[in-house]
Amino acid sequence: MSNKWNQLFFESEIPFYIYKLNKGDSLIFKYQIKYKPLIIIFYGTVYVMKIFTNSESIFIAILTNKSVIDFNCLDSNYVYYKVVALENTYFIKFFCLDYSANYQYLLTSIKLLDLFRYTLKQYESSLYILMHKSIRYRVVQLLLLLCRDFGVLNKNYVFIPFELSQKTISYITGSNPITVNKVMHFLIKRLFIKYIVKNKILICYFSFFNYLRNNKIT
């Protein structure tokens, strides 16, 4: 945990807890009557799924450090949220009751408002993925989002710095692995993308972005 977050919470005298979620692990959030937590991601990347009792699921967002996970609006036993780590991720958890009793420390309030604004932007960006009816367009939109927000620039490609299996892509895009496999195979065949390191780390070539600028993926 960084000294910045340590100092902020110690000075505010708000009780807090630190958790680590290893890559591929998940947290489940269910309906609670009392003591609903607020969680801040201070390192790492996760994606959030909303899951119904009939096992249907909806992708909600990809969140990274400086994001807030707030499920205090969760008021039903018929759904729960699953937070899955794309890489090793660290959280700070505290409870709204503890925070509400400490308004005198205004700096904490300002920091949290900034985090909520940043999180809202991430939710809005994630929604663009599901706006498309076509699974191929959803996959392309996901790749563009990941390259923009997380990509590491190299000479002729953008490197996504965490594992992104086709199974994960299928969860996020609301498709099945077979359809996603066909889309990824199409993009690989066109030399737009490439998997490295046991088919889990993805790179997107600049030719991919140049093509999208002038053409539609069909």
Side-chain angles (χ1 to χ4, degrees), residues 165-216:
S165 68
Q166 292 186 11
K167 187 175 181 180
T168 297
I169 295 174
S170 69
Y171 287 145
I172 293 175
T173 58
S175 181
N176 60 70
I178 295 176
T179 303
V180 168
N181 179 267
K182 290 179 180 178
V183 175
M184 299 300 285
H185 181 72
F186 166 80
L187 295 175
I188 292 171
K189 188 176 180 180
R190 296 293 299 267
L191 302 179
F192 291 150
I193 66 172
K194 181 181 179 180
Y195 267 116
I196 58 175
V197 190
K198 296 182 180 179
N199 292 332
K200 289 188 177 180
I201 304 298
L202 193 67
I203 62 175
C204 296
Y205 291 105
F206 287 163
S207 58
F208 178 49
F209 310 114
N210 290 333
Y211 182 88
L212 291 176
R213 183 174 58 184
N214 300 312
N215 303 274
K216 290 184 177 181

Side-chain angles (χ1 to χ4, degrees), residues 148-163:
R148 186 194 69 183
D149 291 351
F150 309 103
V152 179
L153 190 62
N154 206 304
K155 289 183 179 179
N156 63 342
Y157 62 83
V158 178
F159 168 78
I160 297 175
F162 46 75
E163 292 185 3

Side-chain angles (χ1 to χ4, degrees), residues 85-173:
L86 289 168
E87 58 183 335
N88 292 345
T89 303
Y90 293 83
F91 306 89
I92 301 170
K93 183 174 81 171
F94 61 103
F95 294 93
C96 292
L97 288 177
D98 296 327
Y99 172 68
S100 298
N102 235 317
Y103 278 117
Q104 70 271 20
Y105 194 65
L106 295 180
L107 181 59
T108 302
S109 300
I110 295 171
K111 294 287 183 182
L112 281 176
L113 286 175
D114 288 342
L115 295 183
F116 273 115
R117 292 189 187 102
Y118 177 72
T119 305
L120 180 60
K121 290 181 180 178
Q122 290 189 298
Y123 273 93
E124 290 175 344
S125 296
S126 298
L127 283 174
Y128 286 123
I129 297 171
L130 298 183
M131 285 176 60
H132 301 284
K133 293 182 179 180
S134 165
I135 298 301
R136 183 171 287 184
Y137 276 106
R138 289 186 181 187
V139 172
V140 168
Q141 189 67 48
L142 171 61
L143 296 179
L144 291 176
L145 171 66
L146 295 175
C147 288
R148 186 194 69 183
D149 291 351
F150 309 103
V152 179
L153 190 62
N154 206 304
K155 289 183 179 179
N156 63 342
Y157 62 83
V158 178
F159 168 78
I160 297 175
F162 46 75
E163 292 185 3
L164 189 70
S165 68
Q166 292 186 11
K167 187 175 181 180
T168 297
I169 295 174
S170 69
Y171 287 145
I172 293 175
T173 58

Side-chain angles (χ1 to χ4, degrees), residues 19-22 24-30 39 41 46-49 51 69 71 80-85 89-91 93:
Y19 295 91
K20 177 185 177 182
L21 202 60
N22 292 321
D25 289 346
S26 59
L27 288 175
I28 300 295
F29 292 87
K30 296 184 177 180
I39 295 176
I41 303 172
V46 302
Y47 68 93
V48 184
M49 302 292 296
I51 302 176
I69 301 176
F71 297 133
Y80 64 90
Y81 288 88
K82 185 177 183 180
V83 178
V84 184
T89 303
Y90 293 83
F91 306 89
K93 183 174 81 171

Side-chain angles (χ1 to χ4, degrees), residues 1-7 42:
M1 182 177 178
S2 69
N3 292 331
K4 174 184 176 181
W5 286 107
N6 258 324
Q7 182 179 356
F42 68 89

